């Protein structure tokens, strides 16, 4: 964990999640105001989201770890990278920040502060997509931290950019962001009633990635002994 105290880390998590959601929601609103082409609108939404993730993780990662995601915080608490006593604070900051991000986006585009979304996102394919998306995100983070920590901002930004397009759900991969997106009846929204399916899939995918990559990233005893013998 970083050398910053908990209050500063929580502010960084809330601020980062707010800016992430403001980008997701705001770029969706901007895109649909400029074009009626859904594919082009999604492309604009995708590029903005991937870009802001690189920026936010780079500048806020040294403070809080730049989780901006309850599923990521849960996995890091389970792997003892994040102190378990800090987990509830991280999740609360992320949820609050996400809601603030939606409000900020609405204010910028002269919309009501909050609106319940009417966009339907449900069904087995959507849930499976969210499981796959979150599994991949956590896998990228864990392997990135292990092998190329300085590249993690780019790895995450590029992964989410790709996952927007290869998953049927457009890769929410984040329970706090999903909640915040249920409060906007715009391009990036999701009906509140559809949230539980997304949350279950996201947590399941994240925990599955933790278990697999905890094993995958550990060299075998024979490999370790062989390396030591060569030295």
């Amino acid at each position: 964990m970083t050398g910053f105290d908990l209050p500063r880390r929580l502010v960084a998590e809330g601020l980062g999640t707010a800016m992430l959601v403001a980008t997701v929601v705001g770029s969706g609103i901007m895109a649909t105001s400029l074009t009626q082409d859904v594919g082009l609108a999604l492309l604009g939404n995708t590029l903005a989201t991937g870009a802001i993730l690189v920026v936010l993780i780079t500048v806020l990662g040294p403070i809080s770890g730049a989780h901006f995601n309850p599923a990521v915080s849960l996995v890091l608490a389970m792997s003892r990278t994040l102190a378990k006593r800090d987990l509830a604070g991280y999740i609360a900051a992320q949820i609050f920040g996400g809601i603030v991000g939606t409000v900020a986006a609405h204010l910028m585009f002269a919309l009501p502060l909050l609106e319940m979304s009417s966009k339907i996102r449900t069904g087995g394919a959507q849930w499976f997509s969210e499981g796959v998306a979150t599994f991949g995100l956590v896998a990228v983070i864990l392997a990135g931290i292990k092998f190329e920590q300085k590249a993690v901002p780019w790895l995450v930004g590029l992964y989410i950019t790709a996952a927007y397009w290869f998953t049927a759900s457009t890769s929410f991969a984040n329970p706090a962001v999903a909640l915040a997106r249920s409060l906007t009846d715009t391009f990036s929204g999701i009906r509140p009633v559809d949230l539980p399916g997304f949350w279950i899939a996201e947590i399941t995918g994240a925990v599955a990635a933790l278990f697999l990559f905890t094993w995958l990233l550990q060299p075998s005893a024979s490999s370790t002994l062989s390396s030591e013998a060569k030295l």
Side-chain angles (χ1 to χ4, degrees):
M1 182 48 63
T2 69
F4 291 84
D5 60 18
L6 183 59
R8 287 178 172 81
R9 286 187 279 132
L10 295 184
V11 169
E13 282 297 300
L15 176 62
T17 311
M19 295 184 71
L20 172 59
V21 171
T23 301
V24 172
V25 175
S27 64
I29 298 169
M30 176 65 81
T32 54
S33 72
L34 295 175
T35 180
Q36 298 301 310
D37 185 325
V38 177
L40 187 57
L42 181 60
L43 179 60
N45 195 209
T46 302
L47 294 176
T49 302
I52 200 65
L53 279 168
V54 174
V55 173
L56 293 175
I57 296 171
T58 298
V59 300
L60 296 177
I63 301 175
S64 68
H67 305 175
F68 315 141
N69 187 333
V72 172
S73 295
L74 174 63
V75 162
L76 294 180
M78 292 175 67
S79 64
R80 300 181 181 179
T81 302
L82 174 69
K84 291 182 179 178
R85 65 178 179 275
D86 296 342
L87 176 60
Y90 265 60
I91 293 174
Q94 292 155 0
I95 291 172
F96 178 74
I99 294 170
V100 170
T102 296
V103 171
H106 283 186
L107 284 172
M108 287 189 287
F109 289 92
L111 296 174
L113 294 184
L114 296 173
E115 293 182 302
M116 295 296 105
S117 178
S118 60
K119 192 173 185 68
I120 299 172
R121 297 181 190 265
T122 189
Q126 294 275 316
W127 301 330
F128 180 66
S129 294
E130 277 304 288
V132 170
T134 315
F135 176 93
L137 174 62
V138 171
V140 165
I141 291 170
L142 295 177
I145 291 172
K146 176 77 172 180
F147 297 123
E148 199 65 48
Q149 190 163 2
K150 290 183 179 179
V152 168
W154 285 98
L155 295 174
V156 172
L158 290 171
Y159 173 79
I160 291 297
T161 299
Y164 255 75
W165 287 87
F166 78 73
T167 63
S169 62
T170 66
S171 185
F172 285 47
N174 186 326
V177 170
L179 174 61
R181 290 171 66 165
S182 75
L183 302 175
T184 180
D185 197 21
T186 60
F187 182 76
S188 60
I190 175 175
R191 291 186 310 174
V193 71
D194 296 334
L195 287 174
F198 270 56
W199 287 339
I200 292 169
E202 289 159 357
I203 297 301
T204 300
V207 173
L210 172 64
F211 283 117
L212 177 60
F213 275 77
T214 296
W215 170 80
L216 187 62
L217 297 176
Q218 292 297 324
S220 65
S222 59
S223 297
T224 302
L225 290 174
S226 176
S227 299
E228 291 175 350
K230 290 179 181 178
L231 293 174

